[in-house]
Amino acid sequence: MNQDHTEHYRISIEPSTRHEKASLLQQLEKIPKDAKALTIEDNTPSDLQWAILGSHFTSVRDLKLIAGFHECLNDEKIPLHWPLEKLFIADSCGETFRSPWVLEGRVKHLVIFLAAFLRFEGPTTQEYIDADEKAIEQGEREQETFTVQEGTDSEHKVAISYVPDMVNDWMKNKYTKPANAKFTVDPAESHTELPSMNIQTLEIIENDAFETMIRFLLAAKRDVGNLTTLTVRSTNTNDFNYFAPQMVQEILPQLKQLKTLVLTVGENAFGDWTTNELNGDNTCNNQKAVDAAAITGKDFEQSGLDGVSGSTATRRKYEGPILSTLYRHLPPNLQALHFRGPASLTTSCAWPEWLNAFSSKNFLPDLQTLSFVLDLDVKSGKKRLESNAEKSQEEKAEVEGAETEAEKVETEKLRSAKRECERLLEGVKLRGVKVQPFIDDWSSECSHVRGVDERWETL
């Protein structure tokens, strides 16, 4: 959670044009070759631009890549001779990592900030599109289209290749191998899994944060022994479009090497699974949640992909709303837990279980430090969050004002939640656990990522 205060030299990347080299060289004239921290914004560099950056800089340890409204990711040519320790990826969407810094886990600290649908294995987006076009040419699939400017002289059809569905088919084929898998890629075309990992700290902030975590761990399999600090923040409704939320319950307990967990979870982060009521026989009203496969056992080989069924998928009994029972599924050997959730958690039927668990020495027996705040509200924004980089001051003010009003918990509800948190914290203090305030450093990166309610400490 600590922020690095090293000065970041800033470089703006122009899209690939005949001026891209000249523009970059002009900026580099003002930046020392031994700069240790770089922020590259407005786009990610082209291969040519990466070559120029690699020949100029020798000592980059901290690298920020902020794609801006281009939302691209071209990371394959990040120079390998840099002594890189921290890589920060922001705004990139819908692409597969290609850099050995990520795929081989060479970097110690990886941050994925306000990105979406990033992948750690399998084909790139262009490879998916190329394979789809080939399938259409060979008559294996019909071209999907939609009509634009309908009813005018300019009416025409636009071809569609829907990459998320192709990714989902690829993962189903790999992890569950159903008979009806629709999309396959020759193994020679598929990029390798993570062979080894040096990543010690992984931070994933907003949008599909839990799904990104799942994709990362599926690709890494069991080779996450060096991962000791994990931050996941998911407060909107952009998670669990392709995975079953139960996978969080399955994966977190398997992270036995994890020492620090920073978890910020909105009430609606798990979608419909959060609020579904249980039937009398402890089954779920949502049949999709029951039928979704889950990762089980000692490996991550079974996928838990949303809606997957069949002999290779494992069904598990639904345990109730995922958020209210999340404490049961925390990594077992944590030394530090920083938890932030919705105020409504204290009114759930499971809240007494939280109080009892945290007061017991048998629960997280190695726990030394705890932060615990319940200040979030269910009314958090439903759109995909983006950084402020491409917004005017007027647009920022308008959005921030609207979100402030929508996300604040009623004062009495917040006060009640704090009293309940104090009960929980008193219980852990009796165990000798040190209690600390929850500090959300990410709120300084973007106004859409809100810190703890300023009323919390004064109520």
Side-chain angles (χ1 to χ4, degrees), residues 251-438:
I251 285 179
L252 286 181
Q254 298 187 52
L255 301 179
K256 297 179 180 180
Q257 80 293 342
L258 205 67
K259 301 302 180 186
T260 299
L261 176 62
V262 185
L263 201 56
T264 299
V265 185
E267 184 174 276
N268 53 8
F270 296 109
D272 293 339
W273 284 269
T274 301
T275 54
N276 278 346
E277 296 178 354
L278 295 176
N279 298 320
D281 60 353
N282 198 37
T283 60
C284 178
N285 289 334
N286 189 331
Q287 191 62 34
K288 184 187 288 186
V290 178
D291 289 340
I295 292 179
T296 57
K298 297 181 180 180
D299 207 342
F300 295 143
E301 275 300 324
Q302 289 178 316
S303 78
L305 291 170
D306 186 3
V308 172
S309 61
S311 60
T312 60
T314 301
R315 297 188 180 191
R316 65 194 303 275
K317 196 168 185 179
Y318 186 71
E319 295 189 4
I322 291 176
L323 176 57
S324 61
T325 59
L326 189 59
Y327 76 93
R328 303 177 190 171
H329 307 282
L330 296 175
N333 299 317
L334 289 179
Q335 296 177 359
L337 172 63
H338 305 276
F339 183 85
R340 185 182 176 201
S344 59
L345 181 59
T346 62
T347 63
S348 73
C349 295
W351 179 245
E353 298 178 21
W354 287 71
L355 296 175
N356 292 335
F358 276 88
S359 64
S360 171
K361 290 185 177 181
N362 295 325
F363 176 73
L364 301 181
D366 297 330
L367 192 65
Q368 300 173 13
T369 303
L370 176 66
S371 303
F372 201 95
V373 172
L374 299 176
D375 70 317
L376 297 174
D377 190 36
V378 71
K379 297 178 182 178
S380 57
K382 294 186 178 181
K383 62 181 180 179
R384 181 166 57 81
L385 297 179
E386 299 173 349
S387 72
N388 284 336
E390 303 300 331
K391 289 186 172 62
S392 68
Q393 292 300 320
E394 292 77 9
E395 289 173 322
K396 292 177 188 177
E398 181 181 351
V399 171
E400 290 165 18
E403 290 185 351
T404 299
E405 215 38 53
E407 292 180 0
K408 286 201 171 183
V409 181
E410 295 176 2
T411 299
E412 286 307 311
K413 184 178 178 181
L414 190 66
R415 181 180 286 111
S416 176
K418 185 175 182 182
R419 297 290 85 82
E420 291 298 317
C421 287
E422 289 172 344
R423 291 178 62 195
L424 184 145
L425 294 173
E426 286 300 319
V428 296
K429 285 180 182 178
L430 295 176
R431 296 172 48 186
V433 175
K434 183 180 179 180
V435 172
Q436 293 182 343
F438 189 101

Side-chain angles (χ1 to χ4, degrees), residues 1-60:
M1 296 176 68
N2 296 326
Q3 295 290 309
D4 187 352
H5 297 290
T6 303
E7 179 184 0
H8 276 253
Y9 292 94
R10 308 185 82 86
I11 296 173
S12 177
I13 293 295
E14 292 187 1
S16 297
T17 66
R18 59 192 178 91
H19 302 296
E20 63 176 318
K21 181 176 179 179
S23 173
L24 181 57
L25 289 173
Q26 186 177 16
Q27 295 179 72
L28 295 182
E29 291 175 357
K30 303 174 183 178
I31 304 177
K33 291 179 177 291
D34 62 351
K36 292 181 172 55
L38 291 180
T39 294
I40 299 176
E41 54 194 358
D42 301 322
N43 207 336
T44 53
S46 64
D47 290 353
L48 171 62
Q49 290 167 328
W50 276 128
I52 295 171
L53 291 166
S55 64
H56 181 82
F57 294 110
T58 60
S59 307
V60 178

